[in-house]
Amino acid sequence: MIENLISFSLRNRVLILLLAAALFVWGIHAVRTSKIDAIPDLSENQVIVYTEWMGRSPQLIEDQVTYPLVTNLQALPQVKYVRGTSMFGMSFVYVIFEDNTDVYWARERVLERLNYASRLLPEGITPTLGPDGTGVGHVLWYTLDAPGMDLGEQRALQDWYIKFALQPVQGVSEIASFGGFQKQYQLALNPHRLTYYNLSVADVIRAVRAGNNEAGGRKFELSDIGYIIKTTGYLHSLEEIERIPVKTSGTTPITVGDIATVQMTGEARLGIFDRDGEGEVVGGIVVMRYGENADEVIRRVKEKMTEVAKGFPGGVKFNIVYDRSELIEESISSIRRTLIEEMIVVSAVVLLFLFHWRSAVSILVQLPLTIAISFILLNAFGITSNIMSLTGIALAIGVIVDNGIILAENAYKHLSHRFHELNPETPNE
């Protein structure tokens, strides 16, 4: 009977030790694969709908764009509330979902509803979804150090080379450009000439659109060779825009150049981006995708920036002005150092308090095992390793060993009493 009990007890101990070892190994893997960030993402689960209708007043935007979208998007499932903002030429609608809603499922539902709501909007207005990022998704800002290049050339380099190269990086939702001048062809119409030729602004717009088109014909065979008929009408220069015919007066064509001045200029700006008071700069903001590992995304972007910089004109280079990886490394290293120091202090206190190394070791084993299990749970619930989550673990270290101390003291007390019951002649120390 006693041998069976001993055998059962040993078997249970072995199983418990194996389970603890398995949890510890799993916990180490969880620590290595845990998503790292400096600050927790406490932003709401939202989808942004952006609509542009340039040249219209905020009141008109509110009545014809924002209001129809808000009233229709309110009918979506799992929606908490919908907010709308109207400004000159632009409308923003923020659809806030329940916290447990999957963000990509929410974006699909919004897209489905927009297909219906778009018929209520003015002709030619198309709402679009904002990036699948959050309010704390701006993980890296950079500017261009480009001596000898004007702001228009820098913005063109950013929009047509750098942005397209960095956007495919895994974990990046968007590369938002800022600063400089966005180049565009601009037609300055002469109202007197429009009146003289009996033309309207709409006539000029239709003519320019029609002149910037490509037309195609059918395929036919001639001498066993297939030919495809097409005409290329894409505009490539200011002179081609000036030669676009708007109407014919008798036998004389009236071109765009007769009624307007065509020039290359920058788009109208509502502000500038200045760095350190040294002048305007051009750059971009790396927006991280929802639920990604910030530290890994920044590392991948930096590696890609090294490759992209090889194709820059002479003297141009990246200048990183905000890099969250530095904050992440400082935060994590500080918390890691605090965890190690607290484990050492708690271990020393337990050894001095119990003054029995076997009991102390049985208690101190809980520290690394409990921390490992904590990281398993963090990964299971999708919580990043940040200042708040790691500080919670650090604050709980002193409490972790309390139950072990109580159990060890209780077991020691009962064993001592039982020993004196069986050996009454032994002096009580």
Short mmCIF file of all heavy atoms in Angstrom, two decimals, residues 292-343:
data_model
loop_
_atom_site.label_atom_id
_atom_site.label_comp_id
_atom_site.label_asym_id
_atom_site.label_seq_id
_atom_site.Cartn_x
_atom_site.Cartn_y
_atom_site.Cartn_z
N GLU A 292 0.31 44.79 -36.42
CA GLU A 292 1.66 44.34 -36.79
C GLU A 292 2.65 44.60 -35.66
O GLU A 292 2.37 45.35 -34.71
CB GLU A 292 2.12 45.06 -38.06
CG GLU A 292 1.40 44.63 -39.32
CD GLU A 292 1.80 43.24 -39.78
OE1 GLU A 292 2.90 42.77 -39.39
OE2 GLU A 292 1.02 42.61 -40.51
N ASN A 293 3.81 43.97 -35.78
CA ASN A 293 4.90 44.15 -34.83
C ASN A 293 5.69 45.40 -35.22
O ASN A 293 6.36 45.43 -36.25
CB ASN A 293 5.81 42.91 -34.84
CG ASN A 293 6.85 42.94 -33.75
OD1 ASN A 293 7.22 44.00 -33.23
ND2 ASN A 293 7.33 41.76 -33.37
N ALA A 294 5.58 46.45 -34.41
CA ALA A 294 6.20 47.74 -34.76
C ALA A 294 7.70 47.62 -34.94
O ALA A 294 8.27 48.19 -35.87
CB ALA A 294 5.87 48.78 -33.69
N ASP A 295 8.35 46.89 -34.06
CA ASP A 295 9.81 46.77 -34.13
C ASP A 295 10.24 46.08 -35.43
O ASP A 295 11.19 46.51 -36.09
CB ASP A 295 10.31 45.98 -32.91
CG ASP A 295 11.81 46.09 -32.73
OD1 ASP A 295 12.34 47.21 -32.76
OD2 ASP A 295 12.47 45.04 -32.56
N GLU A 296 9.52 45.02 -35.84
CA GLU A 296 9.86 44.31 -37.06
C GLU A 296 9.57 45.17 -38.29
O GLU A 296 10.35 45.17 -39.25
CB GLU A 296 9.07 43.00 -37.14
CG GLU A 296 9.55 41.92 -36.18
CD GLU A 296 10.93 41.42 -36.54
OE1 GLU A 296 11.21 41.29 -37.75
OE2 GLU A 296 11.74 41.18 -35.64
N VAL A 297 8.46 45.91 -38.28
CA VAL A 297 8.12 46.75 -39.43
C VAL A 297 9.17 47.83 -39.64
O VAL A 297 9.61 48.08 -40.77
CB VAL A 297 6.73 47.39 -39.22
CG1 VAL A 297 6.44 48.42 -40.31
CG2 VAL A 297 5.65 46.31 -39.23
N ILE A 298 9.61 48.47 -38.56
CA ILE A 298 10.64 49.51 -38.68
C ILE A 298 11.93 48.93 -39.22
O ILE A 298 12.60 49.54 -40.07
CB ILE A 298 10.86 50.19 -37.32
CG1 ILE A 298 9.60 50.93 -36.87
CG2 ILE A 298 12.04 51.16 -37.38
CD1 ILE A 298 9.67 51.47 -35.46
N ARG A 299 12.30 47.75 -38.76
CA ARG A 299 13.54 47.12 -39.23
C ARG A 299 13.45 46.83 -40.74
O ARG A 299 14.40 47.10 -41.49
CB ARG A 299 13.78 45.82 -38.46
CG ARG A 299 15.05 45.08 -38.87
CD ARG A 299 15.19 43.76 -38.15
NE ARG A 299 14.05 42.89 -38.39
CZ ARG A 299 13.91 42.17 -39.51
NH1 ARG A 299 14.84 42.21 -40.45
NH2 ARG A 299 12.86 41.40 -39.67
N ARG A 300 12.30 46.29 -41.19
CA ARG A 300 12.14 46.00 -42.62
C ARG A 300 12.18 47.29 -43.45
O ARG A 300 12.77 47.32 -44.54
CB ARG A 300 10.82 45.27 -42.86
CG ARG A 300 10.71 43.91 -42.19
CD ARG A 300 9.49 43.17 -42.69
NE ARG A 300 9.09 42.12 -41.77
CZ ARG A 300 8.02 42.17 -40.99
NH1 ARG A 300 7.24 43.23 -41.04
NH2 ARG A 300 7.72 41.17 -40.19
N VAL A 301 11.54 48.34 -42.96
CA VAL A 301 11.52 49.61 -43.71
C VAL A 301 12.93 50.18 -43.83
O VAL A 301 13.32 50.67 -44.90
CB VAL A 301 10.57 50.62 -43.02
CG1 VAL A 301 10.72 52.00 -43.64
CG2 VAL A 301 9.13 50.16 -43.12
N LYS A 302 13.71 50.12 -42.76
CA LYS A 302 15.08 50.63 -42.82
C LYS A 302 15.93 49.84 -43.81
O LYS A 302 16.76 50.41 -44.54
CB LYS A 302 15.71 50.58 -41.42
CG LYS A 302 15.18 51.64 -40.47
CD LYS A 302 15.90 51.56 -39.13
CE LYS A 302 15.45 52.66 -38.19
NZ LYS A 302 16.12 52.58 -36.89
N GLU A 303 15.73 48.52 -43.85
CA GLU A 303 16.47 47.71 -44.81
C GLU A 303 16.09 48.09 -46.24
O GLU A 303 16.95 48.19 -47.13
CB GLU A 303 16.18 46.23 -44.57
CG GLU A 303 16.76 45.68 -43.27
CD GLU A 303 16.38 44.24 -43.03
OE1 GLU A 303 15.58 43.69 -43.84
OE2 GLU A 303 16.85 43.65 -42.04
N LYS A 304 14.79 48.34 -46.46
CA LYS A 304 14.35 48.73 -47.80
C LYS A 304 14.85 50.12 -48.15
O LYS A 304 15.19 50.39 -49.33
CB LYS A 304 12.82 48.69 -47.85
CG LYS A 304 12.24 48.86 -49.24
CD LYS A 304 12.63 47.69 -50.14
CE LYS A 304 11.99 47.82 -51.50
NZ LYS A 304 12.37 46.71 -52.40
N MET A 305 14.90 51.02 -47.18
CA MET A 305 15.40 52.37 -47.44
C MET A 305 16.85 52.33 -47.89
O MET A 305 17.28 53.15 -48.72
CB MET A 305 15.23 53.23 -46.20
CG MET A 305 13.79 53.59 -45.88
SD MET A 305 13.58 54.40 -44.28
CE MET A 305 14.29 56.01 -44.62
N THR A 306 17.63 51.41 -47.35
CA THR A 306 19.02 51.27 -47.77
C THR A 306 19.11 50.89 -49.24
O THR A 306 19.96 51.39 -49.99
CB THR A 306 19.73 50.21 -46.91
OG1 THR A 306 19.62 50.58 -45.53
CG2 THR A 306 21.19 50.10 -47.27
N GLU A 307 18.20 50.01 -49.69
CA GLU A 307 18.18 49.62 -51.10
C GLU A 307 17.70 50.77 -51.98
O GLU A 307 18.26 51.01 -53.05
CB GLU A 307 17.27 48.40 -51.29
CG GLU A 307 17.71 47.16 -50.53
CD GLU A 307 16.75 46.01 -50.74
OE1 GLU A 307 15.87 46.14 -51.63
OE2 GLU A 307 16.85 45.00 -50.03
N VAL A 308 16.66 51.47 -51.52
CA VAL A 308 16.08 52.56 -52.32
C VAL A 308 17.09 53.68 -52.50
O VAL A 308 17.18 54.30 -53.56
CB VAL A 308 14.80 53.09 -51.64
CG1 VAL A 308 14.30 54.34 -52.34
CG2 VAL A 308 13.72 52.01 -51.64
N ALA A 309 17.89 53.96 -51.47
CA ALA A 309 18.84 55.07 -51.53
C ALA A 309 19.90 54.87 -52.61
O ALA A 309 20.51 55.84 -53.08
CB ALA A 309 19.52 55.24 -50.16
N LYS A 310 20.12 53.62 -53.05
CA LYS A 310 21.10 53.36 -54.10
C LYS A 310 20.68 53.96 -55.43
O LYS A 310 21.52 54.21 -56.30
CB LYS A 310 21.32 51.86 -54.24
CG LYS A 310 21.91 51.19 -53.00
CD LYS A 310 22.05 49.69 -53.19
CE LYS A 310 22.62 49.03 -51.94
NZ LYS A 310 22.72 47.56 -52.08
N GLY A 311 19.37 54.20 -55.63
CA GLY A 311 18.89 54.76 -56.89
C GLY A 311 18.69 56.26 -56.85
O GLY A 311 18.13 56.82 -57.80
N PHE A 312 19.11 56.91 -55.78
CA PHE A 312 18.94 58.36 -55.66
C PHE A 312 19.92 59.11 -56.57
O PHE A 312 21.01 58.62 -56.85
CB PHE A 312 19.18 58.82 -54.23
CG PHE A 312 18.02 58.57 -53.30
CD1 PHE A 312 18.16 58.74 -51.94
CD2 PHE A 312 16.79 58.17 -53.79
CE1 PHE A 312 17.10 58.52 -51.07
CE2 PHE A 312 15.73 57.94 -52.94
CZ PHE A 312 15.88 58.11 -51.58
N PRO A 313 19.53 60.32 -57.01
CA PRO A 313 20.52 61.18 -57.67
C PRO A 313 21.66 61.52 -56.71
O PRO A 313 21.52 61.38 -55.48
CB PRO A 313 19.70 62.42 -58.04
CG PRO A 313 18.28 61.99 -58.00
CD PRO A 313 18.20 60.91 -56.97
N GLY A 314 22.75 61.97 -57.25
CA GLY A 314 23.92 62.27 -56.43
C GLY A 314 23.65 63.28 -55.33
O GLY A 314 23.05 64.32 -55.58
N GLY A 315 24.07 62.96 -54.11
CA GLY A 315 23.93 63.88 -52.99
C GLY A 315 22.64 63.75 -52.21
O GLY A 315 22.50 64.34 -51.14
N VAL A 316 21.65 62.99 -52.71
CA VAL A 316 20.36 62.84 -52.02
C VAL A 316 20.44 61.67 -51.06
O VAL A 316 20.99 60.61 -51.38
CB VAL A 316 19.22 62.61 -53.04
CG1 VAL A 316 17.88 62.47 -52.32
CG2 VAL A 316 19.17 63.75 -54.04
N LYS A 317 19.90 61.84 -49.87
CA LYS A 317 19.90 60.77 -48.87
C LYS A 317 18.72 60.95 -47.91
O LYS A 317 18.10 62.00 -47.85
CB LYS A 317 21.21 60.78 -48.08
CG LYS A 317 21.49 62.06 -47.30
CD LYS A 317 22.83 61.98 -46.58
CE LYS A 317 23.10 63.28 -45.81
NZ LYS A 317 24.39 63.22 -45.10
N PHE A 318 18.42 59.87 -47.18
CA PHE A 318 17.34 59.90 -46.20
C PHE A 318 17.83 60.57 -44.92
O PHE A 318 19.00 60.44 -44.53
CB PHE A 318 16.87 58.48 -45.86
CG PHE A 318 15.99 57.87 -46.91
CD1 PHE A 318 16.44 56.78 -47.65
CD2 PHE A 318 14.72 58.37 -47.15
CE1 PHE A 318 15.63 56.20 -48.61
CE2 PHE A 318 13.91 57.80 -48.11
CZ PHE A 318 14.36 56.71 -48.84
N ASN A 319 16.91 61.25 -44.25
CA ASN A 319 17.20 61.83 -42.95
C ASN A 319 16.03 61.46 -42.02
O ASN A 319 14.94 62.02 -42.14
CB ASN A 319 17.36 63.35 -43.06
CG ASN A 319 17.75 63.97 -41.72
OD1 ASN A 319 18.20 63.27 -40.82
ND2 ASN A 319 17.59 65.27 -41.60
N ILE A 320 16.22 60.49 -41.14
CA ILE A 320 15.16 60.01 -40.26
C ILE A 320 14.97 61.01 -39.11
O ILE A 320 15.90 61.30 -38.37
CB ILE A 320 15.48 58.61 -39.71
CG1 ILE A 320 15.54 57.61 -40.87
CG2 ILE A 320 14.42 58.18 -38.69
CD1 ILE A 320 15.90 56.20 -40.46
N VAL A 321 13.75 61.53 -38.99
CA VAL A 321 13.47 62.54 -37.96
C VAL A 321 12.70 61.95 -36.78
O VAL A 321 12.67 62.55 -35.70
CB VAL A 321 12.69 63.74 -38.56
CG1 VAL A 321 13.55 64.47 -39.56
CG2 VAL A 321 11.38 63.28 -39.20
N TYR A 322 12.02 60.83 -36.98
CA TYR A 322 11.33 60.15 -35.88
C TYR A 322 11.42 58.66 -36.10
O TYR A 322 11.05 58.15 -37.17
CB TYR A 322 9.87 60.59 -35.80
CG TYR A 322 9.04 59.74 -34.85
CD1 TYR A 322 9.22 59.84 -33.48
CD2 TYR A 322 8.09 58.84 -35.32
CE1 TYR A 322 8.47 59.07 -32.60
CE2 TYR A 322 7.34 58.07 -34.45
CZ TYR A 322 7.53 58.19 -33.10
OH TYR A 322 6.79 57.40 -32.24
N ASP A 323 11.92 57.96 -35.10
CA ASP A 323 12.11 56.51 -35.20
C ASP A 323 11.65 55.90 -33.87
O ASP A 323 12.32 56.06 -32.85
CB ASP A 323 13.58 56.19 -35.48
CG ASP A 323 13.83 54.70 -35.63
OD1 ASP A 323 12.85 53.93 -35.56
OD2 ASP A 323 14.99 54.31 -35.82
N ARG A 324 10.53 55.22 -33.90
CA ARG A 324 10.00 54.67 -32.65
C ARG A 324 10.82 53.48 -32.14
O ARG A 324 10.71 53.10 -30.98
CB ARG A 324 8.54 54.23 -32.82
CG ARG A 324 7.86 53.96 -31.48
CD ARG A 324 6.49 53.36 -31.63
NE ARG A 324 5.57 54.31 -32.23
CZ ARG A 324 4.31 54.00 -32.53
NH1 ARG A 324 3.86 52.79 -32.31
NH2 ARG A 324 3.53 54.91 -33.05
N SER A 325 11.65 52.89 -32.99
CA SER A 325 12.44 51.75 -32.54
C SER A 325 13.38 52.14 -31.39
O SER A 325 13.67 51.31 -30.51
CB SER A 325 13.25 51.17 -33.70
OG SER A 325 14.16 52.12 -34.21
N GLU A 326 13.87 53.39 -31.40
CA GLU A 326 14.72 53.83 -30.29
C GLU A 326 13.94 53.84 -28.98
O GLU A 326 14.43 53.38 -27.93
CB GLU A 326 15.27 55.23 -30.58
CG GLU A 326 16.15 55.29 -31.83
CD GLU A 326 16.62 56.70 -32.12
OE1 GLU A 326 16.24 57.62 -31.34
OE2 GLU A 326 17.33 56.90 -33.11
N LEU A 327 12.71 54.35 -29.02
CA LEU A 327 11.86 54.34 -27.83
C LEU A 327 11.52 52.92 -27.40
O LEU A 327 11.48 52.61 -26.21
CB LEU A 327 10.58 55.14 -28.11
CG LEU A 327 9.56 55.23 -26.96
CD1 LEU A 327 10.16 55.91 -25.74
CD2 LEU A 327 8.31 55.98 -27.42
N ILE A 328 11.27 52.05 -28.39
CA ILE A 328 10.95 50.66 -28.08
C ILE A 328 12.12 49.98 -27.38
O ILE A 328 11.96 49.31 -26.35
CB ILE A 328 10.57 49.90 -29.37
CG1 ILE A 328 9.25 50.45 -29.93
CG2 ILE A 328 10.46 48.41 -29.12
CD1 ILE A 328 8.89 49.89 -31.29
N GLU A 329 13.33 50.15 -27.94
CA GLU A 329 14.51 49.51 -27.35
C GLU A 329 14.78 50.03 -25.95
O GLU A 329 15.10 49.24 -25.03
CB GLU A 329 15.72 49.74 -28.26
CG GLU A 329 15.62 49.03 -29.60
CD GLU A 329 16.72 49.46 -30.56
OE1 GLU A 329 17.58 50.27 -30.12
OE2 GLU A 329 16.74 48.99 -31.70
N GLU A 330 14.66 51.34 -25.76
CA GLU A 330 14.89 51.91 -24.42
C GLU A 330 13.85 51.41 -23.42
O GLU A 330 14.17 51.07 -22.27
CB GLU A 330 14.87 53.44 -24.49
CG GLU A 330 16.06 54.06 -25.21
CD GLU A 330 17.36 53.84 -24.46
OE1 GLU A 330 17.32 53.73 -23.21
OE2 GLU A 330 18.41 53.76 -25.11
N SER A 331 12.61 51.37 -23.84
CA SER A 331 11.53 50.94 -22.94
C SER A 331 11.68 49.48 -22.57
O SER A 331 11.60 49.11 -21.39
CB SER A 331 10.16 51.17 -23.61
OG SER A 331 9.99 52.51 -23.98
N ILE A 332 11.90 48.63 -23.57
CA ILE A 332 12.00 47.20 -23.31
C ILE A 332 13.23 46.87 -22.47
O ILE A 332 13.17 46.06 -21.54
CB ILE A 332 12.02 46.41 -24.63
CG1 ILE A 332 10.73 46.66 -25.41
CG2 ILE A 332 12.19 44.92 -24.36
CD1 ILE A 332 9.47 46.30 -24.69
N SER A 333 14.37 47.51 -22.78
CA SER A 333 15.58 47.24 -22.01
C SER A 333 15.43 47.71 -20.57
O SER A 333 15.90 47.05 -19.63
CB SER A 333 16.79 47.93 -22.66
OG SER A 333 16.62 49.34 -22.66
N SER A 334 14.74 48.84 -20.35
CA SER A 334 14.51 49.33 -18.99
C SER A 334 13.64 48.36 -18.20
O SER A 334 13.94 48.02 -17.05
CB SER A 334 13.85 50.71 -19.04
OG SER A 334 13.53 51.17 -17.75
N ILE A 335 12.54 47.89 -18.83
CA ILE A 335 11.66 46.94 -18.14
C ILE A 335 12.37 45.61 -17.92
O ILE A 335 12.23 44.99 -16.86
CB ILE A 335 10.37 46.73 -18.96
CG1 ILE A 335 9.60 48.05 -19.08
CG2 ILE A 335 9.51 45.67 -18.33
CD1 ILE A 335 9.09 48.57 -17.75
N ARG A 336 13.16 45.17 -18.90
CA ARG A 336 13.90 43.90 -18.74
C ARG A 336 14.88 44.00 -17.59
O ARG A 336 15.01 43.06 -16.77
CB ARG A 336 14.63 43.58 -20.05
CG ARG A 336 15.31 42.21 -20.02
CD ARG A 336 16.21 41.99 -21.22
NE ARG A 336 15.45 42.05 -22.46
CZ ARG A 336 15.62 42.95 -23.39
NH1 ARG A 336 16.53 43.91 -23.23
NH2 ARG A 336 14.92 42.92 -24.50
N ARG A 337 15.59 45.12 -17.49
CA ARG A 337 16.52 45.32 -16.38
C ARG A 337 15.78 45.33 -15.04
O ARG A 337 16.24 44.76 -14.05
CB ARG A 337 17.29 46.62 -16.59
CG ARG A 337 18.37 46.87 -15.55
CD ARG A 337 19.26 48.04 -15.96
NE ARG A 337 18.50 49.27 -16.09
CZ ARG A 337 18.22 49.84 -17.27
NH1 ARG A 337 18.63 49.27 -18.39
NH2 ARG A 337 17.52 50.98 -17.32
N THR A 338 14.60 45.96 -15.03
CA THR A 338 13.82 46.01 -13.80
C THR A 338 13.34 44.62 -13.39
O THR A 338 13.36 44.26 -12.21
CB THR A 338 12.60 46.94 -13.99
OG1 THR A 338 13.06 48.23 -14.35
CG2 THR A 338 11.78 47.03 -12.72
N LEU A 339 12.93 43.80 -14.38
CA LEU A 339 12.50 42.44 -14.07
C LEU A 339 13.63 41.62 -13.46
O LEU A 339 13.43 40.91 -12.47
CB LEU A 339 12.00 41.76 -15.35
CG LEU A 339 10.63 42.19 -15.88
CD1 LEU A 339 10.36 41.55 -17.23
CD2 LEU A 339 9.53 41.79 -14.90
N ILE A 340 14.81 41.73 -14.04
CA ILE A 340 15.95 40.96 -13.51
C ILE A 340 16.31 41.42 -12.10
O ILE A 340 16.54 40.60 -11.20
CB ILE A 340 17.16 41.11 -14.46
CG1 ILE A 340 16.84 40.47 -15.83
CG2 ILE A 340 18.40 40.47 -13.85
CD1 ILE A 340 17.90 40.73 -16.87
N GLU A 341 16.33 42.73 -11.90
CA GLU A 341 16.65 43.25 -10.56
C GLU A 341 15.61 42.81 -9.53
O GLU A 341 15.96 42.40 -8.41
CB GLU A 341 16.72 44.78 -10.61
CG GLU A 341 17.92 45.31 -11.39
CD GLU A 341 17.86 46.82 -11.55
OE1 GLU A 341 16.84 47.42 -11.13
OE2 GLU A 341 18.82 47.40 -12.10
N GLU A 342 14.33 42.84 -9.89
CA GLU A 342 13.30 42.43 -8.95
C GLU A 342 13.37 40.94 -8.65
O GLU A 342 13.14 40.52 -7.51
CB GLU A 342 11.92 42.79 -9.50
CG GLU A 342 11.63 44.29 -9.49
CD GLU A 342 10.16 44.57 -9.71
OE1 GLU A 342 9.40 43.61 -9.97
OE2 GLU A 342 9.77 45.74 -9.61
N MET A 343 13.68 40.14 -9.65
CA MET A 343 13.82 38.70 -9.41
C MET A 343 14.97 38.42 -8.45
O MET A 343 14.86 37.57 -7.56
CB MET A 343 14.04 37.96 -10.74
CG MET A 343 12.81 37.93 -11.63
SD MET A 343 13.11 37.20 -13.25
CE MET A 343 13.48 35.51 -12.80
#
